[in-house]
C-alpha cells in the first residue's frame, strides 16, 4: 500500500515571497504519478501540478514548480511570487496509472499574508 | 462546460439512519470515484466505478455502497450511520484514457458535507 506524508500542517508566507511545501511518499511501484492539489476554503479541489515518475525533469506550471527526488521519494512544491489567492489547503497525492484511486496526504494549510 | 456536480450540498442525519449522495460527472466522463474527507485530513478513496462496474474499493465497511447508472451518474449510499461518518464526501470524474494516450487527471466536485448527530 502507498502512503503519503505531509509533515507541515500549517505554513505562512508573505505576499510576493517564495514558499516550499514538503511531501514524502512510500511505494514499491516503479510507474506512478504524483500531484499537488489545492483546496481553497470554498472546498473545490483543483489540480495544481502533476509529475510522472518516469520523467526526470521537474514539472513547472507558471509560479508553481516541483522538486521530485525519486530515490528519496520526495516531492516538494515551490510557489514563487505568492499571491493572496494562493491561500488554501494543499494536498500531495499519489496514484498509479489509474488516477481515480489516488492516495492523499493530510494536507498543509498555507496562508499568504499581505 | 459544467463541472462535476454533487447533491445535496449539506446533509444532517442522526445515528443509525441511511443516506444517499449523488454525483453527476463531467459530460463524456465514464469514470467516477468517491472519496471521504474527514475534517483536518486528506481525502480517502472509497470507490471507483467505470462503465457501471466497480473498479476499486478502499478500506471502508460494507455499510458503504455505490452504483453507477447508464448516464454515468453515481450514488453513494451509507447505511447505519455512525458519528465517525461525518465528513465531506467528494466525487471525482475522469475521461477514459486511450491506450498509449496522455494521462487523464480527475476532476473533483464541490462535495457534500454530511453531519451525523
Amino acid at each position: 500500500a502507498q502512503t503519503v506524508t505531509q509533515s507541515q500542517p500549517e505554513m505562512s508566507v508573505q505576499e510576493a515571497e517564495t514558499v516550499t511545501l514538503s511531501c514524502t511518499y512510500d511505494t514499491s511501484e516503479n510507474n506512478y504519478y504524483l500531484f499537488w492539489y489545492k483546496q481553497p476554503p470554498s472546498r473545490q479541489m483543483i489540480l495544481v501540478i502533476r509529475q510522472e515518475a518516469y520523467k526526470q525533469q521537474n514539472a513547472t506550471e507558471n509560479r508553481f514548480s516541483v522538486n521530485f527526488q525519486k530515490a528519496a521519494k520526495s516531492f516538494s512544491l515551490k510557489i514563487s511570487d505568492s499571491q493572496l489567492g494562493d491561500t488554501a489547503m494543499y494536498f500531495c497525492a499519489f496514484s498509479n496509472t489509474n488516477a481515480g484511486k489516488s492516495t492523499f496526504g493530510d494536507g498543509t494549510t498555507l496562508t499568504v499574508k499581505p | 462546460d459544467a463541472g462535476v456536480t454533487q447533491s445535496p450540498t449539506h446533509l444532517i442525519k442522526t445515528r443509525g439512519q441511511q443516506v444517499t449522495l449523488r454525483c453527476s460527472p463531467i459530460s463524456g466522463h465514464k469514470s467516477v470515484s468517491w472519496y471521504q474527507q474527514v475534517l483536518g485530513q486528506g481525502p480517502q478513496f472509497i470507490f471507483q466505478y467505470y462503465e457501471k462496474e466497480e473498479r476499486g474499493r478502499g478500506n471502508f465497511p460494507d455499510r458503504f455502497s455505490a452504483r453507477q447508472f447508464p448516464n454515468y451518474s453515481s450514488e453513494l449510499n451509507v447505511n447505519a450511520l455512525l458519528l465517525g461518518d461525518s465528513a465531506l464526501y467528494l466525487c471525482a470524474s475522469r475521461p477514459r484514457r486511450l491506450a498509449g494516450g496522455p494521462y487523464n487527471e480527475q476532476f473533483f466536485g464541490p462535495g457534500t458535507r454530511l453531519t451525523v448527530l
Side-chain angles (χ1 to χ4, degrees), chain A residues 33 35 37 39 42-47 50 52 89 91 95-107, chain B residues 9-10 33 35 37 40-43 45 48 55-56 88 90 94 97 103-106 108-111 113:
Chain A
Y33 298 83
F35 312 87
Y37 286 92
Q39 189 178 43
S42 63
R43 303 181 313 191
Q44 193 101 22
M45 186 94 70
I46 58 173
L47 179 66
R50 177 185 76 224
E52 291 89 343
M89 179 84 84
F91 292 97
S95 84
N96 54 23
T97 53
N98 182 356
K101 292 194 284 188
S102 295
T103 301
F104 286 78
D106 282 340
Chain B
T9 304
H10 296 89
S33 296
Y35 293 85
Q37 186 179 9
Q41 297 181 17
F45 171 74
Q48 183 190 25
R55 292 300 182 92
L88 180 68
L90 297 169
R94 66 189 289 246
R97 184 185 185 198
Y103 181 86
N104 286 326
E105 67 179 271
Q106 58 182 341
F108 284 87
R113 171 72 63 188

Side-chain angles (χ1 to χ4, degrees), chain A residues 1 3 16 20 42 62-63 80-81 96 103 111:
Chain A
T3 59
T20 299
S42 63
N62 300 314
R63 299 182 294 109
S80 304
D81 185 25
N96 54 23
T103 301
T111 302

Side-chain angles (χ1 to χ4, degrees), chain A residues 2-16:
Chain A
Q2 295 82 19
T3 59
V4 177
T5 302
Q6 295 179 248
S7 59
Q8 306 154 313
E10 295 182 6
M11 293 194 71
S12 64
V13 63
Q14 291 296 134
E15 196 175 6

